[in-house]
Each structure stands twice: as structure tokens, then as C-alpha cells.
Amino acid sequence: MASHRAPYPDPDTPAFQVAEPTYPAVKTNGHKTASEAAAAVERPEASPSSSATPVHGAPELLEGIGNTDGYDRAARSVDAIDESKRGCFAYVRTRHFYIVLLLGQILALCITSTNTFSGLLAAKSTSIPAFQTFFNYVLLNLGYTSYTIYRYGFRGYGSFLLKDGWKYIILSFLDVEGNYFTVLAYRYTTILSAQLINFFAIVLVVIISASVLHVTYEPAQLAGILICVGGMGILLASDHITGSNGGDITSHNQLKGDLFALAGATFYGVSNVAEEFLVSKRPLYEVVGQLGFWGMLINGAQAGIFDRASFRSATWDGAVGGYIVGYTLCLALFYSLAPLMFRLASAAFFNISLLTGNFWGVVIGVKVFGLHIHWMYPIAFVCIIGGLIVYFVGKQVLGEARKPWLGTNQERGVSGVGTARRKVERPDVIV
């Protein structure tokens, strides 16, 4: 039986430059059209041990392409799809908008759930931030890296690591350090101060996206961001009124905590933009798998250095084990869904969507920690959701799925789940 494994793209292809399919010459009889002949050779069967150089792009690239004529029609239809609906609310009237809106709240719930499990661990005198995140990277590595090796083969995967591994090492380092410094900040400063500084991540994402990726932010998008930030401000104000700012500043190290929060926000902002760029050009399983692989190594080393004392003094029982499992599953789900958000929307929308996390945290806390919902929380939640809607006012049908750095027809991007290129090639798909 022929293998379904797709080898890694031609090593001579420039980094993150997707090679267009080329088709060998085939003999046709008088009854076979040229497009049928192209389709017949588009997906050549290859054995796992084949040494022939592949002539197509990444495995996810060819997903949904039937033949070369169909590809040309799809490429020419990007503008037509984008202009199929008119008006300021063209994108808001599509199902993609509601999928993106729902996905953002699922991600916010995932983050809230991880914070809840961290709180339960802290209540058991177990504070091991680097170590408990280590299992998330292990799980991502086992799932996504295994599948990547299946698709590329061991030889192709080795070539891939030698050629492109350094890019993912940088991405993983940014992600690990963002997690580490953000958690560390809460040991020294107040929640209010740390979350105010975390707004810097949104500012940084907008600046990097505009200057490096040439993303143009319309006035409605900037207004939507400001409205969301205003809603978050209401949440923080209610926390201040109720005295739930948290944090321990008795050690007079609040400045240190603020600097840690600033470092965490910086790492988060840069890593979000980098991941959006990578998932627009590479398969999801490759990006998430590499994030898990290198993150496991970096985070494991960091945990071994900085968490040894906390590990020895931690409480270890069945409840703690259950909390760590819950934390790991929620965080792994977050890491699996975040790249889809980066494809369907952007790093900026991803960040403002997570601002509702405080609201969901209180909702969960009502049952878990016996908290009470302040009357300002529902107002803040509605304000943030309103900002998310305003953000897409004036956007065309494809919204932010159409990335400016991928070319007019998205020809430099991958054709995978959530991409604009997949949408124009397969209009019937949901995402």
C-alpha cells in the first residue's frame, strides 16, 4: 500500500516561501484534457524511503486544490470574494465573524480556567509556574510533532529542523519567557498594576504589525481597540472598588514586579505577531509541534533551575495532580486554538478578545471561590464585546484572514484551515 506521508518541501525553497506546484509532462490520449492530466500528477504517491525531491509545498498547502485550472480561478477570485458583500457591516454579516467572536471567548475561558487551576494549586501551597507549564509543552510535542514526523518522514523532518528550526527556537523562547515573567510579576506587584502594564502587549502588537507586516489599521479598528481597553478599565476599577487588586507589595518590590510585567507583555506581543506570521505560511501542526518541542526543552531547563526549591516544598497529593492535569488540558487547548485565531483574524484581535477573561474569571470564581459579581462587571463585558464588533466595522468579507504580506491573491501563504486562500479555493468550507 502506498504511503500517505507527504515529505517536507524542497530544501532549496527560501524560508517561509511557499513553492508553487509544478507538474511533469504527461502523455495524454485524445480524450483527456490538460487539466485532468495535471490533476493526475498533482499528488504523486511516495514511499517513506523515497529519495526523490518533492515538487510541491508544505502538506497543508495542497489541501483542497483539485487541479491547476481550478487554482488559477481561485487565485483570480480573491477580490471577487472580498467584494461579494458591500457596506460597513459586510464582514459582521458573515458566519466567519461569529466564529471568530466565539473562538475569542473560548480562548478567554481557557486562560481563565488555567488561572483558576493555578489559584487552586496556590491554595494547596503549590506554586511551581514553570514546572506546571512544562507538561503543556510535552503534550503539544507528543501530539503535533508526532504527526509532523508522520507527514514529513524522519529524513524530511531532520532536514526541516536543520533549515527552519532556529525560527521556532526564537518563537518558543519568546513564548516561554512571556509566560514566566508574567507569572513572576504577580508575586511582587498588584493585579491592577500588572494588568495595566499588560496593555502594552496590545500596543506592541499594533506597532509591530503595522511597521513590519505592513498591516493597515482602519479608524474603526483603532476605535474598537480603545473601546475594549475602556471596558477592561471598568473591570479594573471595579476590582479597585471591591479591594480585590491582589498582590503582595509588603516587600517593597513593586517596581521589580512592574518591570517583570513589562518584560512579559513585551515577550507576549512579539511572540503573538511572530506566530501569526508563521501560521499564515506553514501548516498548523508544524508550528504548534515546534512550539511544543522547543518550548519543552527551554521550559524544562528553566524549571530545573528556578523551580527546584518550590518543587521540594510543594504539596503532592491527588488533588494537586488533578489540578495540574486540568491546567495542562486547558492550556493545550488554548495553544491548539490560538493559531486558528491568528489565521481567521489577527494578533491584535486575539489580544483584545482575551480582555473578557476577568469577567469569566469572576463567573467561575462564584462557584469555585465564593466570589461575588460586582454590578460593573456586566457593563464592562458588554463594552468589550461592543468593541470587538466595532473592530470589524468597514471590513470586507474575508476580514483579517486576508494577510497583506501573502500577496494580493494570498499566493505566498498556505492553503489550510482558517486561511483566506482556502476560503476562495473551497467556498463551501466553514473555516
Side-chain angles (χ1 to χ4, degrees):
M1 180 182 293
S3 170
H4 295 287
R5 177 185 297 157
Y8 183 71
D10 187 349
D12 293 329
T13 302
F16 301 113
Q17 181 69 38
V18 179
E20 293 190 10
T22 57
Y23 303 102
V26 294
K27 294 183 179 180
T28 63
N29 54 36
H31 305 288
K32 182 177 286 188
T33 65
S35 61
E36 290 172 337
V41 299
E42 185 175 11
R43 297 177 181 268
E45 296 289 343
S47 64
S49 60
S50 174
S51 60
T53 301
V55 295
H56 54 73
E60 198 175 359
L61 173 65
L62 299 179
E63 186 178 334
I65 301 177
N67 52 57
T68 53
D69 289 343
Y71 171 78
D72 291 337
R73 285 195 298 272
R76 288 194 298 266
S77 68
V78 173
D79 287 330
I81 291 289
D82 228 359
E83 297 172 0
S84 60
K85 292 182 181 180
R86 300 269 183 183
C88 293
F89 296 95
Y91 182 72
V92 176
R93 299 201 309 269
T94 66
R95 64 185 176 189
H96 271 197
F97 166 74
Y98 296 98
I99 291 173
V100 167
L101 195 65
L102 177 62
L103 180 59
Q105 297 314 296
I106 292 174
L107 290 170
L109 277 169
C110 287
I111 285 296
T112 301
S113 299
T114 60
N115 292 338
T116 301
F117 282 116
S118 293
L120 292 171
L121 286 170
K124 300 281 288 186
S125 301
T126 302
S127 178
I128 44 174
F131 181 74
Q132 71 190 49
T133 307
F134 171 75
F135 295 106
N136 166 62
Y137 292 115
V138 171
L139 184 59
L140 294 176
N141 181 49
L142 289 175
Y144 291 99
T145 300
S146 299
Y147 185 69
T148 304
I149 294 174
Y150 167 75
R151 294 300 299 264
Y152 294 168
F154 285 103
R155 180 179 298 179
Y157 185 72
S159 299
F160 156 69
L161 287 181
L162 291 175
K163 183 177 178 60
D164 293 333
W166 65 272
K167 302 179 180 71
Y168 292 107
I169 293 176
I170 295 175
L171 175 65
S172 300
F173 176 80
L174 293 171
D175 184 75
V176 170
E177 299 311 316
N179 288 332
Y180 180 76
F181 280 109
T182 299
V183 173
L184 196 60
Y186 287 97
R187 293 184 180 180
Y188 300 101
T189 190
T190 63
I191 295 175
L192 174 64
S193 180
Q195 291 185 336
L196 284 173
I197 293 173
N198 281 340
F199 284 143
F200 180 67
I202 300 175
V203 176
L204 194 61
V205 164
V206 172
I207 292 174
I208 297 176
S209 298
S211 59
V212 178
L213 300 182
H214 306 294
V215 175
T216 301
Y217 288 96
E218 304 294 338
Q221 291 178 281
L222 298 177
I225 293 174
L226 291 176
I227 293 172
C228 289
V229 171
M232 185 62 182
I234 296 175
L235 286 176
L236 296 177
S238 66
D239 286 343
H240 181 71
I241 291 172
T242 58
S244 56
N245 288 333
D248 180 14
I249 58 174
T250 57
S251 60
H252 306 290
N253 283 325
Q254 186 171 3
L255 177 59
K256 181 191 293 185
D258 291 345
L259 292 175
F260 285 151
L262 183 62
T266 302
F267 281 121
Y268 271 143
V270 177
S271 67
N272 288 165
V273 177
E275 188 171 356
E276 181 186 357
F277 177 81
L278 288 168
V279 298
S280 70
K281 288 177 167 285
R282 308 301 309 166
L284 288 181
Y285 54 81
E286 175 188 299
V287 177
V288 181
Q290 284 295 286
L291 191 58
F293 177 71
W294 297 110
M296 177 184 67
L297 299 179
I298 297 171
N299 184 261
Q302 194 159 309
I305 296 172
F306 297 108
D307 273 0
R308 286 181 298 176
S310 299
F311 188 86
R312 286 193 295 267
S313 62
T315 301
W316 298 103
D317 55 24
V320 168
Y323 297 153
I324 291 178
V325 170
Y327 175 90
T328 300
L329 293 177
C330 291
L331 195 57
L333 179 61
F334 177 85
Y335 273 76
S336 299
L337 295 178
L340 185 59
M341 172 65 89
F342 292 138
R343 281 185 173 181
L344 288 168
S346 64
F349 188 80
F350 166 82
N351 276 275
I352 61 177
S353 293
L354 298 182
L355 294 180
T356 58
N358 272 33
F359 174 81
W360 294 119
V362 172
V363 171
I364 294 176
V366 168
K367 289 291 185 182
V368 179
F369 300 112
L371 302 179
H372 299 283
I373 297 180
H374 191 268
W375 63 269
M376 296 176 70
Y377 267 69
I379 297 175
F381 180 78
V382 172
C383 185
I384 294 174
I385 295 297
L388 297 178
I389 296 173
V390 171
Y391 182 88
F392 281 116
V393 171
K395 280 292 181 181
Q396 294 178 298
V397 173
L398 292 175
E400 289 190 308
R402 187 174 183 178
K403 310 295 184 183
W405 60 88
L406 298 181
T408 303
N409 296 317
Q410 305 293 280
E411 65 275 2
R412 292 192 291 272
V414 69
S415 178
V417 177
T419 62
R421 182 170 172 177
R422 174 181 168 90
K423 177 64 177 176
V424 296
E425 290 171 357
R426 299 180 61 181
D428 57 315
V429 298
I430 297 177
V431 291

